[in-house]
Amino acid sequence: MLSRRMVLRTAAALPAAGVPMDTRVPHAVRELEDKIQAGMAAHRIPGVAYGLRHQGRDYVGGFGVTSADTPQAVGADTLFRIASTTKTFTGTAVMRLVENGHLDLDRTVRSYLPRFRTADETASRRVTLRQVLNHSAGWLGDVYTDTGSGDDTLARYVAELATVPQLTPPGEVFAYNNAAIGVAGRLIEVATGSGYESALRTLVLDPLRLRHTAFYLDELPEASVAVPHGFDRDGNPVAVPEALAIPRSLHAAGGLFSSARDQLAWARYHLGDGSPLLSRRSLRAMRWRPGPGGTLFVELDGAGVTWMLRPTADGPRVVQHGGDLPGQHSGFLIVPERDFALTVLTNAETGPLLTAELFADDWALSRLAGLHNLPATPRTLPDAELAGYEGRYVASQIGLDGEPAQIVLDLVAAGGRLSGRVDGSEQMVLPFYRKDYVLVWAPDGTDSHSRANFVRDPDGTIGWFRYGGRLFRRNPTPAGTPRTTGTTTALLPITLPHPA
């Protein structure tokens, strides 16, 4: 994995070459390509690929190189780890099994896994498949335990959840949950009698002819692969090919490789391109009945069946995901009411700075789909009002070795806003824009295009800070747990100043 010290280092941008699918490229698409290339230069990202559906036409492009060590041009078929966008494939496979009667979204997990449990017996008995898929299952979600590479890896991973703490009751609070999607992957295995990867290929990948999407590179031996990059102390790009590897236990939550062309095909399918894989009713059902709302860098109405459902000021809902692994960061969104889709794949630890501009900010939505974020005008508040939010906030995670760690964030009032500090060093500034909701700025006041919010306990006091979709508990004091100075993205941890 990339060194934590590498995360915010930068390097010179490398040459770019676009490859549009349609040669009659309108001005708005050229604007997007220019924006991507400007972001590569500003954030020093070696390689980027994109896919766009705009006004009934499809465009794909590649810029820069796959690796600083052995440079090859990035193209529409270059493979990237799509990380957590894999969850939407897992959700789609579940919906196929729902359609044929093998699974039911509103039955309990124990209906299919009688021995399933977390540390809370009541919650273990009550949690449903729908809650697993809409990130309201309530148990600790950042569980990265490596349970080996055998065919029993998911069964062993789910068994390891027996000691994982329950943070909130099922169905009540949105909190991004990688572990829950692992449970969904295990339910796919039980329902099909096949390993997760094989079942996903049979249920989803092969029927949709996604030829450049796979869990293992040896399935695509001729493919070009974008290598993850960190940066050395002098700001030079460092290729880290070993960062492509993740445990098999995490495949359901984030294990796929894919290309911009295949990701655009995936977007078209979920826009309703007429493929018979799922009924239109089931496709829509993946975006119905969102669970509890909150924030995951943007404001959310909630999550449907693995899709993040994002409101806009103009009415149409954005259906969104994205993925983050060390050196591989991507964004993905569709707007069914506008027949619009955008996916962007990057191969550097600074990739989130570009995807934040394109997916959390509304630059792309406003220019290409005529939509805008909910308004958020920062305010300064008196110290007396900020006092109700001050305190120490702690999140937990379980690492690849199964060992727990804590992420500690101190929030203190400063200049009418909250200052987020790790070990006394300011990492973020949090100006409020409405009750319990904040923008996330860098210490120098630069907008990170990110939002976060506080969650109240039943007595009305602040109980949690939700940042990056994770819950940080206010003032817990468990003894003897190792501390880290990081936070988490959609799959694996990176350092806290990197909010997107």
Side-chain angles (χ1 to χ4, degrees):
M1 290 187 188
L2 300 179
S3 164
R4 297 291 190 268
R5 291 188 294 274
M6 289 180 179
V7 172
L8 294 178
R9 302 276 177 183
T10 55
L14 297 164
V19 189
M21 180 183 279
D22 190 319
T23 57
R24 296 167 294 177
V25 179
H27 176 70
V29 180
R30 290 297 186 199
E31 270 197 305
L32 173 65
E33 293 182 332
D34 290 345
K35 177 76 169 177
I36 290 171
Q37 292 177 86
M40 292 174 67
H43 310 310
R44 301 172 182 180
I45 303 167
V48 174
Y50 83 92
L52 171 70
R53 181 161 182 81
H54 174 62
Q55 295 183 347
R57 294 180 181 273
D58 295 336
Y59 307 88
V60 293
F63 305 92
V65 297
T66 58
S67 171
D69 288 350
T70 55
Q72 297 179 356
V74 170
D77 296 317
T78 297
L79 299 184
F80 294 75
R81 281 278 195 198
I82 63 168
S84 284
T85 304
T86 303
K87 292 178 172 67
T88 65
F89 288 78
T90 300
T92 302
V94 167
M95 289 303 296
R96 289 214 68 190
L97 296 169
V98 168
E99 275 201 346
N100 66 27
H102 287 90
L103 294 173
D104 184 323
L105 293 177
D106 295 309
R107 290 188 66 182
T108 65
V109 171
R110 279 199 176 167
S111 298
Y112 309 104
L113 296 176
R115 296 183 180 179
F116 172 76
R117 64 185 298 264
T118 67
D120 186 309
E121 171 59 25
T122 300
S124 303
R125 187 171 62 250
R126 288 177 44 204
V127 67
T128 67
L129 176 55
R130 187 184 298 277
Q131 291 161 349
V132 162
L133 294 168
N134 70 20
H135 298 275
S136 69
W139 61 76
L140 179 66
D142 287 323
V143 180
Y144 304 120
T145 311
D146 183 350
T147 52
S149 58
D151 290 341
D152 63 345
T153 184
L154 264 182
R156 293 175 60 195
Y157 178 84
V158 172
E160 290 284 335
L161 300 181
T163 59
V164 168
Q166 190 78 21
L167 305 182
T168 58
E172 293 191 8
V173 177
F174 170 81
Y176 194 83
N177 198 315
N178 286 298
I181 306 303
V183 173
R186 177 60 182 149
L187 291 176
I188 290 170
E189 291 187 333
V190 170
T192 62
S194 300
Y196 166 78
E197 297 87 353
S198 175
L200 192 80
R201 177 157 295 285
T202 299
L203 292 168
V204 179
L205 302 183
D206 285 348
L208 292 181
R209 299 178 182 177
L210 297 177
R211 306 301 192 200
H212 286 81
T213 302
F215 287 99
Y216 301 105
L217 289 177
D218 59 9
E219 297 179 71
L220 304 167
E222 303 302 319
S224 169
V225 181
V227 175
H229 289 79
F231 302 93
D232 67 20
R233 294 182 182 277
D234 296 321
N236 301 308
V238 177
V240 191
E242 61 269 25
L244 285 172
I246 70 168
R248 189 179 179 187
S249 55
L250 305 182
H251 276 186
L256 278 173
F257 290 93
S258 192
S259 67
R261 196 186 307 275
D262 269 15
Q263 286 292 280
L264 186 57
W266 183 238
R268 285 199 311 271
Y269 173 68
H270 276 278
L271 286 169
D273 71 352
S275 168
L277 185 64
L278 283 176
S279 69
R280 291 185 181 273
R281 178 180 177 85
S282 289
L283 278 176
R284 290 194 300 270
M286 293 186 70
R287 331 190 270 267
W288 290 344
R289 293 179 59 184
T295 56
L296 181 60
F297 304 124
V298 296
E299 288 193 56
L300 297 176
D301 290 330
V305 176
T306 63
W307 286 114
M308 304 299 156
L309 306 179
R310 170 183 174 186
T312 65
D314 314 274
R317 179 178 277 166
V318 176
V319 180
Q320 183 164 329
H321 219 288
D324 297 275
L325 281 166
Q328 300 265 283
H329 303 275
S330 59
F332 183 106
L333 62 77
I334 63 175
V335 184
E337 292 182 52
R338 299 291 168 89
D339 190 32
F340 174 76
L342 176 65
T343 181
V344 173
L345 308 164
T346 75
N347 69 345
E349 270 299 274
T350 48
L353 300 173
L354 174 59
T355 58
E357 293 174 1
L358 295 173
F359 293 90
D361 190 21
D362 61 10
W363 185 94
L365 283 172
S366 63
R367 282 163 175 77
L368 297 166
L371 300 175
H372 305 84
N373 280 330
L374 298 179
T377 302
R379 300 180 291 159
T380 56
L381 300 180
D383 287 351
E385 191 169 347
L386 293 172
Y389 299 94
E390 288 184 299
R392 170 158 290 183
Y393 291 79
V394 180
S396 298
Q397 61 185 35
I398 296 175
L400 299 176
D401 58 2
E403 292 298 315
Q406 288 186 342
I407 306 152
V408 181
L409 178 64
D410 293 310
L411 298 184
V412 299
R417 297 159 179 158
L418 291 173
S419 171
R421 302 174 182 180
V422 172
D423 291 334
S425 174
E426 185 172 66
Q427 305 293 307
M428 61 177 71
V429 175
L430 305 174
F432 281 83
Y433 64 92
R434 66 182 172 93
K435 183 179 179 180
D436 295 344
Y437 281 73
V438 295
L439 299 172
V440 182
W441 292 353
D444 65 1
T446 303
D447 188 355
S448 72
H449 311 295
S450 182
R451 305 184 186 195
N453 72 293
F454 294 86
V455 179
R456 294 181 180 269
D457 284 335
D459 65 1
T461 60
I462 298 298
W464 307 88
F465 176 51
R466 178 163 39 213
Y467 174 69
R470 275 58 176 203
L471 293 178
F472 285 67
R473 186 61 170 161
R474 190 181 187 201
N475 290 325
T477 55
T481 306
R483 267 181 68 167
T484 71
T485 56
T487 190
T488 51
T489 57
L491 191 59
L492 292 177
I494 61 172
T495 57
L496 204 148
H498 201 313

